[in-house]
Amino acid sequence: MKLYYKSGACSLASHIALIEAGFDFTVEAVDLATKKTEGGTDFLTINPKGYIPALVLDDGQVLTEGVAILLYLASQAPDLSLAPAEGTPDYLRLVEWLVFTATELHKPVAGLFNPAIPEEVKDLSKVTLRRRFEFAEKAVAPGGYLVGDSPSVADFYLFTVLSWLPRVGLALSEWPALTAYYTRVGALDSVQEALKAEKLL
Ligand SMILES: N[C@@H](CCC(=O)N[C@@H](CS)C(=O)NCC(=O)O)C(=O)O
């Protein structure tokens, strides 16, 4: 498999999952402004939507959308419990966290990076985001993970979004349980390895 990524962006969650699952894979960075890969390929020929992550599967198919990629990777490593068994109540909880992270956290936080969005709009967005993080603060199990007793792909995704907060004027320290959770997930070997590979450590 091959992951197209940008250092520290949402593709980090897929990168962590690839490492955690022990898959054989390569990565190639994408310049999102020029839509060129580091090897000089026009990224739009790989993902016409122009964004990362994009995962080239072993049969050559290209899978896009972070949530789809994370669920695919978990399904390919069923013994590792990167997702609970499909159809179980815990599996639905996992999907619930993935969708919440994608739509209620990832996209609004990403908007805070956009210099074209006026500060007043960003401030309004932060009001809603604080409510979302407050929900996560109360929902995250002390000492544990989002679903079940072991890290899942939902943790890799939430960790990735939380890592952006200092850069957009939101202090993770506002939420002590989330801060402890972030430290806990960040200490996983797979997370450390992905951060090093993306030159973030
Ligand atoms: N719906 C996509 C969105 C992915 C996304 O927002 N990727 C960002 C980086 S975190 C990106 O590549 N932005 C560049 C662009 O949209 O042109 C997903 O969930 O995978």
Side-chain angles (χ1 to χ4, degrees):
M1 285 184 271
K2 178 171 183 177
L3 178 70
Y4 287 93
Y5 80 108
K6 180 184 177 233
S7 175
C10 52
S11 45
L12 175 63
S14 302
H15 199 169
I16 297 168
L18 281 158
I19 293 170
E20 181 76 34
F23 291 125
D24 194 13
F25 70 95
T26 58
V27 295
E28 185 167 354
V30 179
D31 181 330
L32 293 173
T34 62
K35 307 295 179 200
K36 289 269 185 242
T37 73
E38 62 183 329
T41 304
D42 176 1
F43 181 58
L44 294 173
T45 64
I46 293 150
N47 179 11
K49 292 185 271 195
Y51 50 68
I52 48 92
L55 184 71
V56 184
L57 309 185
D58 289 339
D59 66 3
Q61 285 191 67
V62 178
L63 186 60
T64 63
E65 302 302 328
V67 169
I69 291 172
L70 291 171
L71 288 174
Y72 171 76
L73 293 174
S75 77
Q76 296 305 294
D79 297 340
L80 291 177
S81 66
L82 294 181
E86 259 180 68
T88 61
D90 270 357
Y91 185 81
L92 294 176
R93 291 291 167 214
L94 177 91
V95 173
E96 193 177 36
W97 272 112
L98 288 170
V99 174
F100 175 76
T101 304
T103 59
E104 303 298 330
L105 303 179
H106 171 180
K107 279 292 149 179
V109 172
L112 300 178
F113 284 102
N114 186 342
I117 296 181
E119 284 308 312
E120 312 85 76
V121 176
K122 288 182 181 170
D123 287 345
L124 280 175
S125 174
K126 283 182 189 173
V127 171
T128 310
L129 271 167
R130 283 200 165 88
R131 283 205 291 270
R132 303 292 183 253
F133 286 118
E134 197 54 43
F135 164 78
E137 168 78 5
K138 293 196 177 104
V140 67
Y145 298 98
L146 292 178
V147 183
D149 300 331
S150 57
S152 72
V153 289
D155 295 299
F156 306 152
Y157 196 9
L158 181 57
F159 171 85
T160 298
V161 174
L162 293 177
S163 75
W164 303 338
L165 297 195
R167 290 156 58 203
V168 295
L170 284 167
L172 185 56
S173 55
E174 282 185 41
W175 303 285
L178 272 184
T179 303
Y181 166 85
Y182 180 72
T183 305
R184 192 157 60 246
V185 178
L188 296 170
D189 289 347
S190 55
V191 177
Q192 290 285 306
E193 195 176 326
L195 292 173
K196 279 187 199 129
E198 297 197 7
K199 300 188 172 48
L200 296 165
L201 282 184

